[in-house]
Amino acid sequence: MLERFPAWRISLSAALHHNRSQPQSRYVQLATVRKNGQPANRTLVFRGFLEHRDQLQFITDQRSAKVEQIAEHSWGEICWYFAKTREQFRILGKLSLISAEEDNSELQTVRHTLWQNLSDKARSQFTWPHPAKSRESESERFDTNLSADIPPSSYFCLLLLTPSEVDHLTLRGNPQNRWKYWQNQDLIWQSQAVNP
Amino acid sequence: MLERFPAWRISLSAALHHNRSQPQSRYVQLATVRKNGQPANRTLVFRGFLEHRDQLQFITDQRSAKVEQIAEHSWGEICWYFAKTREQFRILGKLSLISAEEDNSELQTVRHTLWQNLSDKARSQFTWPHPAKSRESESERFDTNLSADIPPSSYFCLLLLTPSEVDHLTLRGNPQNRWKYWQNQDLIWQSQAVNP
C-alpha cells in the first residue's frame, strides 16, 4: 500500500535529499519555553520520521533542561535551515517524551532501536556526569565508547515532535516563495502560498 | 583606548573568524514566545555588534510576527551553530526594537547606517506586500532592487539582543567542552566550565 505524505513532508524530503552532502543538514534548532516563561533554543540531530507517522524523531538525555521545560509546556518549534538550497522550514508542534518508563511497547521498541543505531560515541554520552552541572575533573568519567550490546541508558529518551503548522520559505527564486501548511479540524493538511 | 570584551565574545569572534568561509555562519536561529505561550523560531542574519556595546544587531520588518511577540515577551534566545568548527553558542537576552519612531538619535543613526549597508535586494523586501499574508499575484509588487539613496522604509527596524546568559559547547575534543557565562548583580560577566 502506498503511503500518502502531506505536501510539506514531500518538500522537506526533497530538501534533505538535495542537501545530503552536508552532515549539518540534519541539524535543527528546537525552541521551547522555560518554566519562567523565557524561550530556550538548542541544536538537535534529526533522527528520521516515526514509521508510518509524520512525527519527527529526536533523542535527549532525561537530565537535560529541555525535559523539564517540555513537561511544563509541551509545544516546540523547530527551525531548519538548509544552506545549500537556501530554504527554511519552521515546524510547530507538540513534543512528547518516550523515556525508559514508557508503557507503549511499540514506542519502547523504537527507543531501543534508536539506541542501537547510535554511534558508540553518541551512546557513551548518556553515561557522562550530569549535563550543565559544574565540570567533573576526572576524565575517566567521560567514556567515549559504549557498545550497542549495552541496554539503553535509563537517561536515554526518544523525543517526538507532532507537527501542527509548517512554514516553508525558499530564498532562491525572484522573488522568494513561502507556503503555510496547517491541519484543519479533521486533521487534514491545508496549504496556502503567502507573501515571503 | 582598548576595549575589554567579555570572554564569551572573544570565543564568538574566534568562531566567526574560523567559519568566515561559510556565508551561513552569520545565520542564527532566534526563539521567542508567542502571545498564546507557544514558542516561535526563525533564522536571522547577524549584523555585527553595536559599536562599543555587547549587543547583537539584527534587522526585521515591523509587520513580522516576531515584532508583536517581542512587544509582549521581550526575552529571546539565539542558537548559533558553526558547522566548520562544530560549536554552538546559545545566547539568552532581552530584545529591543528600534523602529522609525525611535527617539534615541544615536540608535536612529545606527538604523539608518544599517539600511544603507544592506544590499539593494535586501532593502527591497521592506517594500513588498505584508509578509505571511495570502500571496499577492502581481509580480511587480515584489521589486528586487532598491537603491541606498531611498530613505529607510518605515517598516525597517533594528533589533538588538542584550545578552544576559551564554552557553558555549564545542563538539570537537574528547570529551566535548562546555562553558556557561552569566552576569552578576554588578553586571560583571562570570564563567564556569560545566559538563557537556
Side-chain angles (χ1 to χ4, degrees):
Chain A
M1 201 180 79
L2 269 176
E3 283 190 88
R4 277 184 61 91
F5 292 129
W8 61 264
R9 187 166 163 185
I10 294 167
S11 298
L12 179 60
S13 296
L16 278 163
H17 181 73
H18 292 130
N19 292 271
R20 66 190 182 284
S21 62
Q22 303 190 319
Q24 68 270 26
S25 68
R26 297 182 77 83
Y27 291 11
V28 308
Q29 278 70 40
L30 170 69
T32 53
V33 179
R34 298 170 204 250
K35 264 188 166 175
N36 66 3
Q38 292 172 348
N41 208 359
R42 82 289 285 160
T43 305
L44 293 181
V45 181
F46 171 59
R47 308 277 177 183
F49 280 93
L50 191 63
E51 215 182 354
H52 309 307
R53 294 281 185 282
D54 294 319
Q55 289 166 292
L56 292 84
Q57 303 177 135
F58 302 94
I59 62 172
T60 185
D61 190 307
Q62 188 149 31
R63 299 167 295 176
S64 145
K66 71 176 102 46
V67 169
E68 206 184 50
Q69 290 161 12
I70 294 166
E72 195 92 358
H73 298 279
S74 60
W75 287 89
E77 184 162 270
I78 61 168
C79 183
W80 204 336
Y81 182 72
F82 291 94
K84 199 175 156 197
T85 51
R86 304 190 61 226
E87 59 190 313
Q88 170 185 272
F89 291 83
R90 297 169 58 178
I91 308 180
L92 174 74
K94 279 261 195 186
L95 292 161
S96 42
L97 207 77
I98 315 302
S99 72
E101 271 95 58
E102 175 66 41
D103 288 332
N104 181 315
S105 64
E106 264 181 69
L107 291 175
Q108 197 55 260
T109 303
V110 174
R111 176 174 167 268
H112 276 75
T113 306
L114 274 177
W115 172 261
Q116 278 154 3
N117 292 344
L118 288 185
S119 68
D120 290 2
K121 196 175 165 186
R123 250 190 311 266
S124 69
Q125 295 175 17
F126 292 89
T127 68
W128 290 359
H130 197 298
K133 300 255 180 200
S134 183
R135 178 76 181 219
E136 301 257 350
S137 52
E138 308 84 26
S139 60
E140 64 272 18
R141 297 288 315 274
F142 297 92
D143 263 342
T144 52
N145 274 305
L146 197 67
S147 105
D149 308 330
I150 310 286
S153 154
S154 60
Y155 298 133
F156 177 73
C157 297
L158 163 63
L159 179 62
L160 293 174
L161 176 68
T162 307
S164 60
E165 278 177 47
V166 178
D167 184 314
H168 180 203
L169 172 71
T170 63
L171 297 182
R172 281 192 184 159
N174 198 356
Q176 308 163 350
N177 287 302
R178 186 173 174 187
W179 297 268
K180 283 202 171 279
Y181 301 90
W182 68 95
Q183 285 180 299
N184 69 10
Q185 289 186 327
D186 301 323
L187 302 183
I188 307 296
W189 282 97
Q190 314 290 306
S191 73
Q192 188 183 16
V194 296
N195 295 321
Chain B
M1 200 182 77
L2 269 176
E3 282 191 89
R4 277 184 62 91
F5 293 129
W8 61 264
R9 188 167 161 183
I10 294 167
S11 298
L12 179 60
S13 296
L16 278 162
H17 181 73
H18 292 129
N19 292 271
R20 68 190 181 283
S21 63
Q22 304 190 320
Q24 69 268 28
S25 67
R26 298 182 77 83
Y27 292 12
V28 308
Q29 279 70 39
L30 171 69
T32 52
V33 178
R34 297 170 203 251
K35 264 189 166 175
N36 66 4
Q38 293 173 346
N41 207 359
R42 81 289 283 160
T43 305
L44 293 182
V45 180
F46 171 60
R47 307 278 176 183
F49 280 92
L50 192 61
E51 215 182 356
H52 309 306
R53 294 280 186 283
D54 294 319
Q55 289 166 293
L56 291 84
Q57 301 177 138
F58 302 95
I59 62 172
T60 184
D61 189 306
Q62 188 149 31
R63 299 167 295 175
S64 145
K66 70 176 105 45
V67 169
E68 205 184 49
Q69 292 161 12
I70 293 166
E72 194 92 359
H73 298 278
S74 60
W75 287 88
E77 183 162 271
I78 60 167
C79 183
W80 203 337
Y81 182 71
F82 291 94
K84 197 174 157 199
T85 51
R86 304 191 61 226
E87 60 190 312
Q88 169 185 271
F89 290 83
R90 297 169 58 179
I91 307 180
L92 175 73
K94 279 263 195 186
L95 292 161
S96 41
L97 207 77
I98 315 302
S99 73
E101 272 95 57
E102 175 65 42
D103 289 331
N104 180 316
S105 64
E106 263 180 69
L107 291 175
Q108 198 54 261
T109 305
V110 175
R111 175 175 168 269
H112 276 74
T113 306
L114 275 176
W115 173 260
Q116 278 154 3
N117 292 343
L118 287 185
S119 68
D120 289 3
K121 196 175 166 186
R123 250 191 310 267
S124 69
Q125 296 177 16
F126 292 89
T127 69
W128 290 359
H130 197 298
K133 300 255 181 204
S134 184
R135 178 76 181 219
E136 302 257 350
S137 53
E138 308 84 25
S139 61
E140 63 273 19
R141 296 287 317 272
F142 297 92
D143 264 341
T144 52
N145 275 304
L146 199 65
S147 103
D149 308 332
I150 311 286
S153 154
S154 60
Y155 297 134
F156 177 74
C157 296
L158 164 63
L159 179 62
L160 292 175
L161 176 68
T162 307
S164 59
E165 278 177 45
V166 179
D167 183 314
H168 179 204
L169 172 70
T170 63
L171 297 182
R172 280 191 183 160
N174 199 357
Q176 307 163 349
N177 287 301
R178 187 173 174 187
W179 297 268
K180 282 204 171 281
Y181 301 90
W182 68 95
Q183 284 180 300
N184 68 11
Q185 289 185 328
D186 302 324
L187 302 184
I188 308 296
W189 283 96
Q190 314 290 307
S191 73
Q192 186 184 18
V194 297
N195 295 319

